[in-house]
Amino acid sequence: MLNITETQQKLAAAFGPSGQESEAAGVIAEMAKPHCDEVYTDRLGNLIAYKKGAGKAKVMFSAHMDSLGLIVTHIDEKGFLWFSNIGGISVWRIYGSAVRFQNGTRGIVFMGGKADAKDPKTADLYIDIGAKDEESARNAVFVGDVAVFDQPTFPIGDGLLASPYLDDRIACAALLAAMEGLPECENDLYFVFSSQEELGIRGAKTAAYGIDPDYGFAVDVTGTGDTPDHKPKTECKLRGGAAVKIMDASVICHPKVVAWLEEAAERENIPHQREILIGGGTDAGAIHVSRAGVYTGAISIPTRYVHNPLEVCAIGDVEACIKLVRAACNISL
Ligand SMILES: [Zn+2]
């Protein structure tokens, strides 16, 4: 049985900001191959693992493999790198954090002295890679190169896991675990590791069009309301089990799919809870409006500090999500 912590460690270490997912895709493809009939990529960079079933219907699961990143826009005369964001990054979350480029160059994010301390912008931040001058910096990094968070993955507290990019590598790990030793299903299965979710759910759009599924499930992290003085008030929490999405800013999950998931969870004693994500979306947003419409739901992993350099989830919730994904392979409405 695949070890969740080790798999997350491996996946989080794979470079894969939105639009440049090939390194992460390579790592996932190697892990997926033994458990499916075919692994292929489409032109947008989605990795699709297909497992043939009895052909009753087509079920698509989608976990995005892209991550947030910092794209270099300018290298100044002192060798500091200025950047723009790839995906939803806010200044206070990344200030002071360690980052790395695909070629191994490491750096630290800090703020220019002219920034308005009350309202700093991403444009006020720079990356210090320790270069002695502009030439040295330009030898290490090009304009257009992307840095990702450089943090370790480690267990904390009572069954929790801290890691960069739990969003959404932990869901990629969950899909890989669900595929392991999966008996043949009634349905044909497509496990999609999608590209460019963080830029507006782009990969899932072409994947869903290409696959033309009858049923679709996004598997992604979701925010929780279980930290001090959390606003807005929301009930989703760590250690509460797999979160069955009701809605977010991109989708209202089909009521029949929500009911089916909740019944399956009850029947199989899978801990579960309901989830409404206020702001933010998932691949379900693209899947449900594909072609003439797809019966769509989402299985979410409750996660604290989403889009921070370190995020936190509960291993037990990941295990519950794996079980619910395996159950959903046999969905029939
Ligand atoms: Zn996500």
Side-chain angles (χ1 to χ4, degrees):
M1 166 78 177
L2 182 149
N3 179 299
I4 302 293
T5 303
E6 283 170 16
T7 305
Q8 173 60 22
Q9 223 151 24
K10 197 167 158 183
L11 297 187
F15 184 83
S18 308
Q20 296 183 48
E21 296 90 353
S22 60
E23 185 180 315
V27 172
I28 294 169
E30 281 313 305
M31 297 180 77
K33 270 177 197 161
H35 308 297
C36 57
D37 296 296
E38 192 189 347
V39 176
Y40 61 99
T41 50
D42 72 6
R43 290 182 199 135
L44 228 71
N46 294 297
L47 177 77
I48 300 163
Y50 167 66
K51 186 171 160 65
K52 197 175 159 32
K56 194 171 163 197
K58 289 197 267 186
V59 183
M60 167 178 169
F61 296 94
S62 190
H64 68 90
M65 63 179 164
D66 62 311
S67 76
L68 303 172
L70 313 178
I71 183 163
V72 176
T73 56
H74 170 60
I75 299 170
D76 72 21
E77 65 288 351
K78 289 184 174 142
F80 295 109
L81 318 181
W82 300 80
F83 61 88
S84 184
N85 57 304
I86 289 186
I89 279 172
S90 78
V91 172
W92 293 118
R93 287 170 170 171
I94 62 167
Y95 178 67
S97 63
V99 296
R100 69 185 152 85
F101 291 86
Q102 192 167 23
N103 68 3
T105 301
R106 302 177 82 174
I108 304 159
V109 178
F110 272 99
M111 194 179 292
K114 287 182 185 153
D116 175 357
K118 282 189 189 140
D119 187 24
K121 305 279 191 291
T122 313
D124 296 320
L125 298 177
Y126 61 85
I127 303 171
D128 183 351
I129 56 166
K132 65 178 189 301
D133 54 22
E134 179 178 353
E135 192 192 349
S136 167
R138 286 187 188 272
N139 282 336
V141 174
F142 289 100
V143 165
D145 283 356
V146 178
V148 296
F149 299 140
D150 190 18
Q151 303 280 349
T153 295
F154 53 96
I156 56 167
D158 302 315
L160 305 188
L161 182 64
S163 175
Y165 301 131
L166 286 172
D167 180 13
D168 193 23
R169 302 284 169 81
I170 193 66
C172 296
L175 289 192
L176 288 166
M179 290 163 72
E180 216 179 39
L182 191 66
E184 195 186 288
C185 297
E186 289 284 286
N187 300 318
D188 291 337
L189 307 175
Y190 296 80
F191 296 93
V192 177
F193 301 89
S194 64
S195 62
Q196 300 191 37
E197 190 270 353
E198 297 291 0
L199 293 178
I201 314 176
R202 297 178 185 172
K205 210 175 282 178
T206 60
Y209 190 92
I211 292 166
D212 190 13
D214 300 285
Y215 303 100
F217 296 94
V219 185
D220 203 337
V221 301
T222 191
T224 65
D226 61 352
T227 48
D229 295 328
H230 188 277
K231 280 181 190 150
K233 295 287 177 205
T234 172
E235 297 196 0
C236 189
K237 58 179 189 289
L238 299 196
R239 305 184 187 90
V244 175
K245 187 182 291 291
I246 307 295
M247 71 167 276
D248 63 28
S250 70
V251 65
I252 292 179
C253 293
H254 197 289
K256 282 185 180 172
V257 176
V258 171
W260 192 95
L261 284 174
E262 290 186 322
E263 276 164 33
E266 287 294 324
R267 190 174 61 238
E268 302 193 22
N269 284 319
I270 302 167
H272 63 102
Q273 56 188 325
R274 286 186 160 194
E275 174 245 318
I276 295 164
L277 177 63
I278 300 160
T282 62
D283 282 350
I287 300 167
H288 78 296
V289 292
S290 185
R291 295 183 184 245
V294 177
Y295 286 118
T296 300
I299 298 168
S300 306
I301 300 166
T303 302
R304 291 179 185 163
Y305 321 125
V306 173
H307 285 204
N308 281 269
L310 275 175
E311 304 168 325
V312 174
C313 72
I315 305 266
D317 295 338
V318 180
E319 287 166 350
C321 287
I322 294 165
K323 287 182 189 152
L324 197 49
V325 166
R326 286 172 73 100
C329 293
N330 289 302
I331 188 169
S332 169
L333 291 183

